[in-house]
Amino acid sequence: MTTAGTPGKAARRKRSDARRNEQALLDAAAAVFVHAGVDAPVRDIATEAGVGMGTIYRHFPTRADLVVAVYRHQLDALAAAGTAVPQAGESPYDTLRLWVARFADFLVTKHGLAGALHSDQAGFESLHAELIGRLLPVCEQLLAACAAAGQTRDDIQPYDLLRGIGNLCVGAETDPNYNARLMIDLLLAGLARDRSVTPATSTE
Amino acid sequence: MTTAGTPGKAARRKRSDARRNEQALLDAAAAVFVHAGVDAPVRDIATEAGVGMGTIYRHFPTRADLVVAVYRHQLDALAAAGTAVPQAGESPYDTLRLWVARFADFLVTKHGLAGALHSDQAGFESLHAELIGRLLPVCEQLLAACAAAGQTRDDIQPYDLLRGIGNLCVGAETDPNYNARLMIDLLLAGLARDRSVTPATSTE
DNA sequence: CATGATACGGAGCAATGTTCCGCTTGTCAA
DNA sequence: TTGACAAGCGGAACATTGCTCCGTATCATG
């Protein structure tokens, strides 16, 4: 019986039209997200993909599922970037800073992702969960390395940091007067045990 | 703005039932906000106040108007607290920290206010504007004092700081795993020019 | 008390999320 | 090739919520 449920691998290959539609939906969603944000009406995405409402909900029961699927590559890349071996001469704190910058870029460039992530809108909890599940271990590792090297405080929870950074990104794209990256720099500077390790942004 | 345009004084006193309804709406909104957040359905507020839909929109054309009206006292108090003369022996940086803590408390204890403030939902821009208009000057003054005393960097925009703090408060109430105050402490520590001025972060 | 201005109520429209079910289509075996 | 059936599809229909509009009720004033 090759029915679904085997933990290992391939259940039964999905029907060809189902696969086609799933891909069409991913493409359509990616396109719509770019100009209408991740809050775009479900109908718009369905229309763009040329499918009915039922189809989109069958493939992606919650909006978060769709969002996660669309950005899965980038999420993978982000997680991988954090565990890659650092450049020679790069301190743990440098590595953390670099990774955080990538994380912030990811959130900011995705129209409204940061906002959606932290809203209590129904259907976004699983997006939050997915992101945390994927990135928390990475963040934790980077932070632990910093603390072990004595470069940062050791009493900060990775989750708090991740969430704090994410929060700081809210509105960074839509509000031209708000400089989220600068605030992130401040936060990271506050994390450092010794002011001397903080690079350029600090004066002189 | 409430009067018809006479710069000096009272235009025509509003009708008694109108005044009564306005107050009922404020009370009802305050009550509903507590358990349903500032995003509560307009209908719920109207029902709670025992008035019709038309009435609520006549008195408060946008949701932000209602929210601002409900929290006006506290906003006033917050603005006043920032300009009050500091305690003896309190450094400008201490004063800033204290005020920021009050600001954070204000946002966090109002169910979803921080989130609403930074969402791009229609009708919330004016809430944002009101808050900024009221608090930005205060923040600016506190920050300038810190910089003048050499306690903090002098290249930070008050707006960025206000917005950053506000952002960090998002979800502080609903996510028990997130310690917004700690992140705010970190941000403020990063703001300090000299690590020695930052007091031992009291875990609250 | 009459009358005009003011304010009220809630039905109704629009946008959007979500479900449900009859119909279509792909797949597989005979 | 064909028949049968599970898998999948489409979109109408329902629910929620924001917001407007206008006939009606109420207040204030002479």
Side-chain angles (χ1 to χ4, degrees):
Chain A
M1 306 321 157
T2 48
T3 58
T6 32
K9 242 294 153 126
R12 148 89 123 269
R13 219 163 101 122
K14 278 206 286 213
R15 255 172 58 167
S16 58
D17 54 347
R19 263 176 296 133
R20 205 181 326 122
N21 278 329
E22 182 162 331
Q23 191 55 51
L25 276 169
L26 284 174
D27 294 344
V32 172
F33 286 172
V34 168
H35 63 264
V38 295
D39 291 306
V42 184
R43 276 175 179 73
D44 290 356
I45 300 170
T47 301
E48 172 82 18
V51 305
M53 297 292 301
T55 301
I56 195 168
Y57 276 99
R58 192 170 319 102
H59 286 283
F60 305 100
T62 77
R63 182 189 294 272
D65 294 323
L66 182 55
V67 174
V68 169
V70 166
Y71 295 129
R72 174 144 279 149
H73 313 70
Q74 292 162 73
L75 204 53
D76 287 342
L78 193 55
T83 53
V85 341
Q87 299 290 317
E90 190 180 282
S91 78
Y93 185 70
D94 292 334
T95 308
L96 176 67
R97 286 177 56 90
L98 254 30
W99 184 77
V100 165
R102 271 195 78 153
F103 176 47
D105 273 339
F106 171 66
L107 289 183
V108 169
T109 57
K110 306 305 169 255
H111 217 109
L113 220 203
L117 204 53
H118 304 110
S119 77
D120 40 7
Q121 301 280 347
F124 275 116
E125 319 78 28
S126 84
L127 171 58
H128 186 257
E130 176 84 19
L131 242 167
I132 292 300
R134 196 68 83 86
L135 299 183
L136 192 57
V138 178
C139 181
E140 179 160 25
Q141 176 184 322
L142 294 172
L143 201 54
C146 287
Q151 289 191 288
T152 65
R153 298 170 50 158
D154 57 4
D155 60 343
I156 301 299
Q157 297 300 317
Y159 180 77
D160 280 334
L161 184 61
L162 215 48
R163 169 112 205 194
I165 303 289
N167 271 5
L168 285 177
C169 290
V170 173
E173 193 192 21
T174 53
D175 185 343
N177 294 108
Y178 174 54
N179 186 346
R181 277 167 241 258
L182 183 53
M183 291 302 102
I184 291 175
D185 275 343
L186 244 43
L187 190 74
L188 288 177
L191 189 66
R193 190 180 285 282
D194 180 348
R195 181 50 42 99
S196 67
V197 301
T198 70
T201 44
S202 70
T203 49
E204 77 262 341
Chain B
M1 208 59 58
T2 46
T3 59
T6 29
K9 252 269 148 140
R12 149 91 120 268
R13 218 165 102 127
K14 279 208 285 214
R15 252 173 60 171
S16 59
D17 54 347
R19 264 176 295 131
R20 205 182 327 122
N21 278 329
E22 182 163 331
Q23 190 54 50
L25 276 169
L26 284 175
D27 294 344
V32 171
F33 286 172
V34 168
H35 63 264
V38 295
D39 292 306
V42 184
R43 276 175 178 74
D44 291 355
I45 301 170
T47 301
E48 171 84 19
V51 306
M53 296 290 301
T55 301
I56 194 168
Y57 278 101
R58 190 169 321 102
H59 286 283
F60 305 100
T62 77
R63 180 189 295 272
D65 294 322
L66 183 54
V67 174
V68 168
V70 167
Y71 295 130
R72 175 145 279 150
H73 312 70
Q74 291 162 72
L75 203 53
D76 287 342
L78 194 54
T83 53
V85 336
Q87 298 290 317
E90 190 180 281
S91 78
Y93 184 71
D94 293 334
T95 309
L96 177 67
R97 286 177 56 90
L98 254 30
W99 184 76
V100 164
R102 271 193 79 153
F103 175 46
D105 272 339
F106 172 65
L107 289 183
V108 169
T109 56
K110 307 305 169 254
H111 215 111
L113 220 203
L117 204 52
H118 305 109
S119 78
D120 40 6
Q121 303 279 346
F124 275 116
E125 319 78 27
S126 84
L127 171 58
H128 186 257
E130 176 83 19
L131 242 167
I132 292 299
R134 196 69 82 87
L135 299 183
L136 192 57
V138 177
C139 181
E140 180 160 23
Q141 176 184 322
L142 293 173
L143 201 53
C146 287
Q151 290 191 289
T152 65
R153 298 170 50 157
D154 58 2
D155 60 343
I156 302 299
Q157 297 299 317
Y159 179 78
D160 279 333
L161 185 61
L162 215 47
R163 169 110 203 194
I165 302 290
N167 272 5
L168 285 177
C169 290
V170 174
E173 193 193 21
T174 54
D175 185 343
N177 294 108
Y178 174 54
N179 186 345
R181 277 167 242 256
L182 184 54
M183 291 302 101
I184 291 175
D185 275 343
L186 244 42
L187 190 73
L188 289 177
L191 189 66
R193 189 182 284 281
D194 180 347
R195 182 51 42 99
S196 67
V197 301
T198 72
T201 345
S202 56
T203 41
E204 290 186 50

